[in-house]
C-alpha cells in the first residue's frame, strides 16, 4: 500500500497532465481557437476602424486602450463558452465518469480544466495585445504592469469557467449556456472600455461603474496607460472573491455529481 502511494504523482502533476490534454484537444479543434482569438481580434480591428477616430475626436482619448482589454476579456469568455459546450457531451458519454475512476486525485481533472483555460487566455490575450500594439497601443507602465495586464483576463476566465462548469454539468443541453453567456458578455461591452462612461446617460453611469467588468477593464487600461490602478484592482478583487465564493462550490458539486452519475 505504501509503495502504491509512492507511485502516485502529485496533485500539481496530475492537474498539469489534464491541462495539457485539454490544450492539445483545443489545438486540434478550431472552435475554441476561433472564438478565443480570431473573433475578438476581428471585433477589435473593426471597432477601431469604424469608431476609433470619432471617439478620439469627441473625447480626446484613444479608444484602443479600452478596446484591447474589452476584446481580450470577451475573447476569454467566448473561448470558455466553446470549451464548456463539450461538458454535457462528456457527461452523457461517460467520459467524466471514466476520468473520475482513474487512480488520480479527484479534483485534479477540474483543476486541470481551469488551468488550461488560464493558459489559453494568457496566450490569446498576448496575441490580441500584439494586434493592439500594431494599431497604436503603447504601454507606459513597466514590465510588471505588462505581465499583470496579460494575467487579468485569466483571473476572469477561471471564475467564468467555474460558472460554466456549474451550469453545464447540470443542464441537459448546451443551449442553457448560451442564455447565461449572452448577459455575461454584454457586461464586458457595457463597461468602461468604449465608449467612456462619461458619455453614457447620467442614470446609467453608476450601474456601469459598479458592475464587475468595469473594474476589470479599468484596471487593465490603467496598467497600459501607467495611471493609478489601486482602486480598480481593489474593486475587481472584491468582486472576484465574492463570485468565487458563490460559483466554486457549485462547480465542484456539479462536476462531482456528473462524474458519479456513471452515464
Amino acid at each position: 500500500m505504501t509503495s502504491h502511494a509512492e507511485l502516485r504523482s502529485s496533485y500539481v502533476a496530475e492537474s498539469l497532465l489534464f491541462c495539457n490534454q485539454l490544450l492539445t484537444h483545443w489545438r486540434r479543434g478550431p472552435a475554441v481557437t476561433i472564438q478565443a482569438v480570431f473573433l475578438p481580434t476581428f471585433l477589435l480591428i473593426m471597432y477601431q476602424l469604424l469608431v476609433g477616430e470619432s471617439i478620439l475626436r469627441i473625447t480626446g482619448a484613444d479608444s484602443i486602450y479600452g478596446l484591447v482589454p474589452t476584446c481580450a476579456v470577451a475573447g476569454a469568455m467566448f473561448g470558455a463558452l466553446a470549451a464548456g459546450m463539450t461538458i454535457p457531451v462528456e457527461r452523457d458519454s461517460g467520459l467524466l465518469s471514466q476520468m473520475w475512476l482513474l487512480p488520480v486525485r479527484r479534483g485534479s481533472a477540474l483543476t486541470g480544466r481551469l488551468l488550461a483555460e488560464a493558459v489559453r487566455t494568457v496566450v490569446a490575450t498576448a496575441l490580441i495585445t500584439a494586434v493592439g500594439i500594431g494599431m497604436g497601443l503603447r504601454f507606459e507602465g513597466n514590465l510588471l504592469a505588462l505581465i499583470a495586464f496579460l494575467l487579468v483576463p485569466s483571473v476572469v476566465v477561471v471564475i467564468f469557467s467555474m460558472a460554466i462548469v456549474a451550469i453545464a454539468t447540470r443542464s441537459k443541453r448546451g443551449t442553457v449556456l448560451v442564455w447565461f453567456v449572452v448577459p455575461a458578455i454584454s457586461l464586458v461591452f457595457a463597461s468602461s472600455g468604449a465608449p467612456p462612461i462619461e458619455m453614457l446617460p447620467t442614470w446609467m453611469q453608476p450601474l456601469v461603474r459598479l458592475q464587475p467588468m468595469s473594474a476589470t477593464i479599468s484596471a487593465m487600461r490603467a496598467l497600459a496607460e501607467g495611471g493609478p490602478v489601486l482602486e480598480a484592482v481593489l474593486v475587481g478583487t472584491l468582486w472576484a472573491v465574492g463570485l468565487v465564493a458563490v460559483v466554486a462550490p457549485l462547480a465542484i458539486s456539479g462536476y462531482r455529481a456528473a462524474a458519479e452519475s456513471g452515464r
Side-chain angles (χ1 to χ4, degrees):
M1 187 172 182
T2 304
S3 61
H4 175 71
E6 291 175 351
L7 291 175
R8 292 188 65 182
S9 56
S10 68
Y11 186 90
V12 173
E14 292 168 2
S15 299
L16 289 174
L17 180 63
F18 284 113
C19 170
N20 183 65
Q21 181 186 38
L22 266 178
L23 291 174
T24 302
H25 175 70
W26 291 341
R27 284 198 301 269
R28 294 173 179 173
V32 175
T33 302
I34 290 173
Q35 294 206 48
V37 181
F38 294 109
L39 178 58
T41 301
F42 173 78
L43 291 175
L44 170 63
I45 295 172
M46 293 305 297
Y47 200 106
Q48 180 68 4
L49 291 177
L50 291 174
V51 301
E53 263 189 52
S54 300
I55 293 179
L56 179 62
R57 186 168 57 252
I58 295 172
T59 66
D62 194 341
S63 61
I64 195 70
Y65 287 89
L67 288 176
V68 171
T70 299
C71 291
V73 174
M77 297 171 83
F78 281 130
L81 171 62
M85 294 292 284
T86 64
I87 294 178
V89 178
E90 294 174 357
R91 178 201 59 204
D92 295 339
S93 66
L95 179 60
L96 293 184
S97 297
Q98 293 175 23
M99 293 170 62
W100 194 255
L101 295 175
L102 292 174
V104 295
R105 290 162 180 81
R106 294 292 174 83
S108 58
L110 180 56
T111 303
R113 174 177 288 274
L114 297 177
L115 182 59
E117 292 282 3
V119 172
R120 171 187 60 76
T121 300
V122 169
V123 175
T125 300
L127 294 175
I128 294 169
T129 302
V131 174
I133 290 174
M135 299 179 69
L137 177 70
R138 295 294 179 266
F139 272 88
E140 303 297 334
N142 53 26
L143 179 60
L144 290 178
L146 174 59
I147 294 174
F149 182 93
L150 297 177
L151 291 178
V152 168
S154 295
V155 177
V156 174
V157 83
V158 167
I159 300 172
F160 187 71
S161 296
M162 290 181 189
I164 290 285
V165 170
I167 295 172
T169 51
R170 291 174 168 86
S171 62
K172 294 183 179 180
R173 294 181 297 177
T175 51
V176 178
L177 290 176
V178 178
W179 290 105
F180 165 72
V181 169
V182 168
I185 294 181
S186 297
L187 289 178
V188 178
F189 290 98
S191 65
S192 57
I197 294 179
E198 292 74 16
M199 295 180 61
L200 299 175
T202 305
W203 64 268
M204 188 183 297
Q205 292 182 19
L207 298 176
V208 175
R209 292 183 191 276
L210 291 175
Q211 61 110 334
M213 289 298 101
S214 284
T216 302
I217 303 302
S218 295
M220 294 182 69
R221 185 168 191 155
L223 287 168
E225 294 178 333
V229 71
L230 182 59
E231 181 180 353
V233 170
L234 288 176
V235 174
T237 300
L238 289 174
W239 269 111
V241 171
L243 291 172
V244 167
V246 173
V247 300
L250 294 175
I252 294 170
S253 62
Y255 193 91
R256 182 184 184 93
E260 292 179 343
S261 64
R263 286 186 289 183

